[in-house]
Amino acid sequence: MGYNLPVENLKLPAVFTYGSATAAYQIEGAADRDGKGKSIWDVYTHLEPSRTNGENGDVACGHYDRVQDDVKLMADLGMKTYRMSLSWTRIIPLGGRHDPVNEVGIAFYDKLIDALLEHGIQPSVTLYHWDAPQTLYERYGLFLDTAEFRADFEHYARLCFSRFGDRVKTWITFNEPYIISIFGHLNGTLAPGHCAERGSDTVREPWRVGHTLILSHAAVTAIYADEFQPTQQGRISIVLNGHFYEPFDRSNPADIAAAQTRLEFYIAWFGDPVFLGRDYPACMRVYLGDRLPVFTEDDLDLLRATSKINSFYGMNHYSSKFARQITDRPPAKDDWTSNIEELSTNIHGEEIGPASSSAWLRIAPTGFRKLLNWVSSRYPHLPIIITENGCPCPGETDMEVAKDDQFRQRYLGLYLDAISRAIYEDGIEVQGYYVWSLMDNFEWSAGYGPRFGIIHVDYDTLGRTPKNSAYYLRDTMEQRRGTSSVRNDY
Ligand code: PNW
């Protein structure tokens, strides 16, 4: 399945944008400097026993003190855009709508945004990439209280739009609501680490969290459209992640249906309310019953109105899986998959693709092209921006492997070819691409183990060294560039 495909270096449109992505907690460090408040990740990474491989983001890549150098590196590598996130607790240390604002934190982001623009790099800013204020978690359980969270998030977002929106023209509310809901509030592998073993109500919590994220996104989208967009002229949306799913047994209708259901539970859970302004997918209502919160008429009005404001589909995509419908045992009480199992190997023993050094990530460019088609047929009114894509190489702890990261170059080349085919052969509008990540960084529960960067970071000296994939991307983006902005310029 795609093992021996050659990289074809297929064309991309002239206007296709290229940049890299990061998130505040994963790179900034300076966790308690200049008035920053504690986020749920500052607390989670210091729990004993450690849930993050004994590691934390206290120092991370030291980006907080290296803004000029890091921006210069981006420019030297041919990047014209950069997807970054804001640390909520640098800006409002306690997080809430009645809490003080930290001007020093705002000044840091002013400096970063200005440096980017001076180098001709457009910032795309994510308001929330997982580092919620710890105080809000302690006050009311964060996402578990929809009304409180929504009011605090609205206040924080309004502040960001008013302070940075003169220069930031692409806004993203939430990064990966699926991961926040499931990994944070069901299997407990990401902060705040709720799971059944620790006494959380995993039957209901993940769905409540998802509900809060959807309504908070919609509320903030309405605020941007009403109060800021008319003068600032920017765009806003959300970023959804998702694997593509192939049936485990292509000749079994139950597995064919399972692959579709799995995609709906992963992506349409958020995509349908946010982009289509309607209720959750029918298969979720049927399977989850009253575990799934209900949208009121007011909620649906808000969703309908804001669905038209979102101006792109932000896609984080890494890999594909096989889906198998389990029929020989009942689902667990808190099952969230419609009793579907995810596998890397199909019924014939064929693997979905070559393994990286992260268990969930294999090279599967064919699935990427199929996912682009799936998303674009479900949300046909939206252009797609790839807001994250990348991989860690096998054996990358070895500096020689890191420098000449052949596995990553091949992965990126094949995934860019898949985008090209989606654009020119399938007629899908893909506007741009952000590689994950600009540099090696703190990979959440896996600590500093997996290295996703196209720039190597020496965690002793914090020295940066571009890997060959960084030069490969710079060059291939130039070589692939078509001559016009129309889709069939190829
Ligand atoms: C994304 N999965 O998370 C995040 O947005 C990044 O912060 C992170 O560093 C990056 O991907 C690499 O992991 C994901 O299991 C985590 O499918 C897990 C999955 C997908 C995305």
Side-chain angles (χ1 to χ4, degrees), residues 26 129-130 175-176 179 183 241 243 266 316 318 360 388 436 441 443-444 452:
Q26 294 180 272
H129 198 128
W130 304 359
N175 179 69
E176 302 185 346
I179 301 284
F183 288 52
N241 69 306
H243 299 303
Y266 210 130
N316 286 359
Y318 291 90
W360 53 275
E388 285 182 26
W436 183 272
N441 59 47
E443 178 55 18
W444 309 111
F452 276 80

Side-chain angles (χ1 to χ4, degrees), residues 9 46 74 98 138 167 176 196 205 221 256 337 396 432 436-437 464:
N9 208 22
H46 286 277
M74 291 179 216
H98 306 299
E138 288 169 13
R167 290 154 292 158
E176 302 185 346
E205 274 190 15
T221 301
I256 295 171
T337 64
E396 205 176 334
W436 183 272
S437 177
R464 276 89 158 124

Side-chain angles (χ1 to χ4, degrees), residues 11-27:
K11 287 281 185 227
L12 292 166
V15 290
F16 193 81
T17 59
Y18 162 57
S20 63
T22 62
Y25 187 73
Q26 294 180 272
I27 65 164

Side-chain angles (χ1 to χ4, degrees), residues 249-417:
D249 177 356
R250 269 189 299 273
S251 63
N252 180 352
D255 287 353
I256 295 171
Q260 175 67 17
T261 304
R262 191 72 196 87
L263 282 165
E264 293 191 23
F265 267 69
Y266 210 130
I267 292 172
W269 173 8
F270 302 97
D272 285 10
V274 164
F275 298 128
L276 301 178
R278 67 178 199 208
D279 192 24
Y280 296 110
C283 64
M284 295 183 71
R285 276 267 164 245
V286 169
Y287 187 74
L288 296 168
D290 69 357
R291 293 164 64 186
L292 202 57
V294 172
F295 291 116
T296 64
E297 273 311 307
D298 282 354
D299 293 342
L300 288 169
D301 283 346
L302 175 71
L303 290 171
R304 273 191 290 268
T306 53
S307 64
K308 300 182 181 66
I309 298 164
N310 292 288
S311 44
F312 60 94
Y313 182 105
M315 178 188 286
N316 286 359
H317 178 75
Y318 291 90
S319 197
S320 296
K321 300 253 188 199
F322 294 107
R324 186 177 84 89
Q325 185 63 58
I326 299 171
T327 49
D328 52 359
R329 59 175 191 272
K333 184 161 79 52
D334 61 358
D335 175 57
W336 76 102
T337 64
S338 191
N339 213 18
I340 292 165
E341 189 177 20
E342 311 191 346
L343 300 148
S344 299
T345 309
N346 70 8
I347 192 168
H348 306 297
E350 295 161 348
E351 296 186 332
I352 197 86
S356 74
S357 62
S358 282
W360 53 275
L361 203 166
R362 287 166 179 267
I363 304 184
T366 316
F368 183 29
R369 178 176 173 188
K370 290 182 186 174
L371 184 67
L372 289 165
N373 276 271
W374 191 88
V375 164
S376 126
S377 68
R378 199 162 182 111
Y379 311 112
H381 58 300
L382 292 173
I384 297 171
I385 299 176
I386 308 307
T387 38
E388 285 182 26
N389 175 245
C391 67
C393 303
E396 205 176 334
T397 42
D398 183 332
M399 187 60 191
E400 288 314 306
V401 176
K403 269 194 179 143
D404 189 22
D405 52 349
Q406 303 266 345
F407 183 91
R408 178 177 294 103
Q409 292 170 58
R410 181 169 156 67
Y411 174 99
L412 298 172
L414 291 171
Y415 275 61
L416 289 174
D417 284 346

Side-chain angles (χ1 to χ4, degrees), residues 85-227:
S85 80
L86 303 174
S87 155
W88 187 338
T89 58
R90 253 189 226 296
I91 294 171
I92 308 174
L94 301 178
R97 56 200 181 277
H98 306 299
D99 296 318
V101 169
N102 179 27
E103 288 297 334
V104 191
I106 292 185
F108 167 71
Y109 291 114
D110 275 334
K111 181 176 73 175
L112 171 53
I113 291 165
D114 289 344
L116 289 165
L117 292 173
E118 279 157 23
H119 285 82
I121 299 169
Q122 295 298 320
S124 290
V125 174
T126 307
L127 292 170
Y128 183 75
H129 198 128
W130 304 359
D131 47 355
Q134 173 69 10
T135 308
L136 303 187
Y137 178 67
E138 288 169 13
R139 279 182 192 158
Y140 55 79
L142 207 60
F143 311 113
L144 296 176
D145 187 327
T146 303
E148 281 294 317
F149 180 83
R150 173 173 159 174
D152 284 338
F153 189 64
E154 284 177 3
H155 173 81
Y156 162 61
R158 193 178 263 119
L159 178 66
C160 295
F161 297 149
S162 73
R163 302 299 287 270
F164 308 123
D166 56 336
R167 290 154 292 158
V168 173
K169 301 301 166 194
T170 301
W171 292 99
I172 290 155
T173 53
F174 295 107
N175 179 69
E176 302 185 346
Y178 176 96
I179 301 284
I180 300 170
S181 307
I182 299 296
F183 288 52
H185 299 81
L186 197 146
N187 48 26
T189 51
L190 296 176
H194 288 201
C195 56
E197 299 77 63
R198 299 189 189 108
S200 312
D201 175 9
T202 50
V203 174
R204 288 178 186 277
E205 274 190 15
W207 314 106
R208 166 58 53 194
V209 170
H211 203 69
T212 300
L213 295 169
I214 288 166
L215 291 172
S216 302
H217 165 79
V220 159
T221 301
I223 288 174
Y224 186 67
D226 292 344
E227 300 172 28

